[in-house]
Amino acid sequence: MKKLIAAFAASASVTYAFAAGGSIGSPSATSVLLFLAVISITLAITWWAARRTSSTSDFYAAGGRISGFQNGLAITGDALSAGAFLGLTALVFSSGFDGLIYAIGYTTGLPIVVFLMAGKLRQLGKFTFTDVVCSRLSGSAIRVFSACASLIIVAFYLIAQMVGAGQLIQLLFGIDYTLAIVLVGVLMVLYVVFGGMMATTWVQIIKAVLMLGVGAAITFLVWQQFGFSMGALLRKAVEVHPGKDAILSPTAFAKDPLSGLSLGIALMLGTAGLPHVLMRFFTVPDAKAARTSVLWATIFMNCFYAMIFIIGFGALALLRTHPEYMDAKGLLIGGSNTAALHLSHILGGEIMFGLVSAVAFATILAVVAGLTLSGASAISHDIYGALFRHKTADARDEIRIVRVATIALGVFAIALGIAFKGQNVAYMISLAFSIACSSTFPVLVLAIYWNRLTATGAVVGGSVGLLSSLLLTVLGPAIWVKVLGHASPVFPIDPPALVTVPLAFLACVMVSRYWAPAESTQGEDLRRSRGHRGKAQLEPHQAGHRA
């Protein structure tokens, strides 16, 4: 179980071994042309979006003009990172059915968003997750906590994506890793600074379409190799894998059920607490469109993960019969994370390899753009715009601040990407999910559905969840054993969501009930007064009709 969790998180960042262990081959003209075509398309989208971005609403939420179907594709683009394609394929290649458990965790998280939060988020919020929480709770402390939690989650997610992007470009072009990281950082800043949410949304839509198209093409070609028979595919996979029949059942989770349950909680609830995903619900015109967008995203993602089942077992069955893709030790050249790239080369030669590589890079660009916009929004809108200027900042002034914050985050991301080049960043993706489900998710759910939640309770409960998830992850197998070299972990469950999520909810409830009870009434009065003001502003014709 511990090895499987580490392998999953490592795959999301296309680990260091991917760059150090060798390359698939010298860069081909096809790969370079397809790569440049993807960059050109995304830059053209940014130029188009920049001409249509003139207000804070345009910059943060694309003016609320994105349809439910378009936003569903954009959410899909946000969720299907390089780890979803390269990483899950690698997991199935290495462990068989165990690797598919992660895909189930991702997709089951989206219906939770639909039923619990999508409509409410669109009704209560304006631009960010923090807006939703602060529509219920007053005070600067809750806004600072929400913004800081968002920044921490974004940072962990961003590091892994930057390292993966740098290594992918290094593999394609053979350029220096540092230069590759700088290139990714510059492109990321250009998308967000000039195009805002409009450019980010359309880059994610294009990326989702490309990812689904490439996945469908590889799935068809794999099936064609086995006469469109799933039975023949699985029989071949069992024949060539050392684990034989064991690859068709979830063996690792049976050995460590508590960590398996904890991982499921982190993946399902963490999806509903990721700030860059939550921002997508403010780009649509109303609550109905928000729910529709998650419905489409669920459909697209389930289709993709169903294809990963075939792609992963196809890589398992085909690559092990092609020794030219193996090194002297019998391992894949470049590491197991190159399984999807090797498979594309077998099925479609240089054209398919170049296309898959370009799409993988577009995937990373879309994700880092969404992450950067989320982090910059937390700085400019949630901290600067609402605290230092007390909501009196001019719209142009706030956009200027968010662009400065974006450049600062870009420089920060480049520095982290370079600093973590040779380090074990395997735990960072799972840690981001663990922090999200332990901090932002409990606060968000209680803020929406429990009127007695106080600002103090939210800050204390969210902080307890955030700090405990960090501490227990350090004491767990991912860091205490694999990074620090100790013989056994102090805390055995990895990730620690099974403990930290209930702890965060309990802290929120207990502090809200027994500490400063008058605050709850004050917060409820504030919510009601805002609701009355909103009705008076949004429905004057109805008020006149009633009169």
Side-chain angles (χ1 to χ4, degrees):
M1 179 67 194
K2 295 173 184 176
K3 291 181 180 179
L4 192 61
I5 292 174
F8 161 73
S11 64
S13 59
V14 196
T15 55
Y16 178 64
F18 184 55
S23 62
I24 294 175
S26 301
S28 67
T30 303
S31 301
V32 173
L33 288 175
L34 288 170
F35 176 86
L36 294 177
V38 169
I39 298 298
S40 300
I41 291 172
T42 54
L43 289 176
I45 291 172
T46 303
W47 175 80
W48 169 81
R51 301 180 62 187
R52 289 160 176 78
T53 301
S54 57
S55 65
T56 53
S57 178
D58 292 334
F59 194 91
Y60 290 123
R65 299 189 298 267
I66 305 299
S67 70
F69 177 78
Q70 292 169 341
N71 199 43
L73 277 173
I75 293 174
T76 304
D78 240 340
L80 298 182
S81 66
F85 181 45
L86 302 178
L88 288 178
T89 301
L91 273 180
V92 178
F93 174 81
S94 302
S95 308
F97 185 83
D98 276 329
L100 298 172
I101 301 296
Y102 296 91
I104 298 172
Y106 285 138
T107 52
T108 51
L110 281 177
I112 293 175
V113 178
V114 174
F115 292 113
L116 290 182
M117 292 186 292
K120 295 285 187 180
L121 283 171
R122 185 60 188 84
Q123 290 172 350
L124 295 174
K126 188 177 182 182
F127 298 136
T128 64
F129 146 75
T130 307
D131 286 334
V132 177
V133 176
C134 293
S135 70
R136 266 278 289 112
L137 305 170
S138 58
S140 300
I142 183 62
R143 184 171 289 274
V144 171
F145 160 76
S146 300
C148 290
S150 298
L151 285 171
I152 291 172
I153 295 168
V154 165
F156 281 109
Y157 220 118
L158 191 58
I159 291 172
Q161 297 297 328
M162 289 295 292
V163 172
Q167 291 169 346
L168 184 59
I169 294 180
Q170 185 183 34
L171 177 74
L172 281 176
F173 296 101
I175 63 177
D176 182 70
Y177 174 85
T178 300
L179 180 59
I181 287 289
V182 172
L183 173 62
V184 175
V186 170
L187 288 172
M188 172 185 72
V189 169
L190 286 176
Y191 295 151
V192 178
V193 165
F194 294 104
M197 180 57 86
M198 183 69 77
T200 301
T201 296
W202 281 101
V203 168
Q204 288 163 341
I205 289 173
I206 297 297
K207 166 259 180 132
V209 172
L210 290 173
M211 181 70 80
L212 291 169
V214 164
I218 296 178
T219 298
F220 176 82
L221 293 174
V222 168
W223 250 2
Q224 190 179 47
Q225 294 285 322
F226 296 93
F228 299 97
S229 170
M230 182 59 70
L233 171 60
L234 295 179
R235 282 193 297 271
K236 184 63 175 180
V238 169
E239 177 187 333
V240 300
H241 195 280
K244 301 303 180 183
D245 291 341
I247 65 172
L248 300 181
S249 59
T251 54
F253 291 96
K255 296 177 182 177
D256 193 357
L258 286 181
S259 288
L261 178 60
S262 187
L263 178 66
I265 292 173
L267 293 178
M268 288 187 290
L269 304 185
T271 303
L274 295 175
H276 64 289
V277 174
L278 296 176
M279 279 189 73
R280 298 243 49 91
F281 298 113
F282 309 121
T283 64
V284 293
D286 51 42
K288 180 181 178 181
R291 290 188 292 269
T292 301
S293 63
V294 185
L295 174 62
W296 280 113
T298 304
I299 293 172
F300 292 136
M301 289 179 65
N302 275 283
C303 290
F304 181 80
Y305 288 127
M307 291 188 287
I308 285 293
F309 183 95
I310 299 171
I311 294 171
F313 276 101
L316 195 162
L318 294 174
L319 291 179
R320 293 179 185 274
T321 61
H322 285 74
E324 64 270 24
Y325 294 97
M326 302 290 181
D327 59 19
K329 297 180 180 180
L331 303 176
L332 280 179
I333 296 175
S336 63
N337 295 293
T338 61
L341 299 176
H342 284 303
L343 178 64
S344 66
H345 195 269
I346 289 176
L347 297 173
E350 290 294 336
I351 293 178
M352 181 62 75
F353 169 70
L355 181 61
V356 171
S357 300
V359 170
F361 183 71
T363 295
I364 295 173
L365 281 181
V367 173
V368 296
L371 288 167
T372 304
L373 181 58
S374 177
S377 300
I379 296 172
S380 64
H381 180 67
D382 298 330
I383 296 178
Y384 176 84
L387 293 183
F388 296 110
R389 298 296 298 270
H390 302 289
K391 299 185 180 181
T392 61
D394 179 76
R396 291 185 178 180
D397 189 36
E398 189 169 332
I399 290 179
R400 179 179 59 83
I401 295 299
V402 76
R403 285 173 172 162
V404 172
T406 299
I407 296 173
L409 275 176
V411 174
F412 179 67
I414 290 171
L416 288 177
I418 295 172
F420 279 84
K421 173 188 176 182
Q423 300 298 317
N424 182 356
V425 295
Y427 62 91
M428 287 184 178
I429 292 294
S430 59
L431 182 56
F433 276 87
S434 182
I435 293 173
C437 73
S438 303
S439 56
T440 56
F441 176 74
V443 171
L444 191 59
V445 169
L446 292 175
I448 291 175
Y449 289 101
W450 193 46
N451 289 334
R452 298 186 64 180
L453 179 70
T454 65
T456 303
V459 171
V460 172
S463 299
V464 166
L466 190 153
L467 295 175
S468 63
S469 62
L470 287 171
L471 176 62
L472 294 181
T473 300
V474 171
L475 298 177
I479 300 180
W480 195 255
V481 176
K482 297 183 180 299
V483 176
L484 300 181
H486 295 281
S488 60
V490 177
F491 183 78
I493 301 176
D494 187 16
L498 185 63
V499 173
T500 56
V501 173
L503 190 63
F505 272 104
L506 181 63
C508 286
V509 172
M510 297 301 290
V511 172
S512 296
R513 286 179 64 90
Y514 299 110
W515 186 358
E519 184 184 355
S520 177
T521 304
Q522 189 178 31
E524 176 66 11
D525 292 341
L526 177 65
R527 186 181 68 84
R528 288 175 177 173
S529 66
R530 286 177 176 173
H532 290 314
R533 287 200 304 269
K535 289 182 179 180
Q537 292 171 357
L538 296 176
E539 301 176 337
H541 62 286
Q542 294 182 10
H545 179 70
R546 293 190 186 100

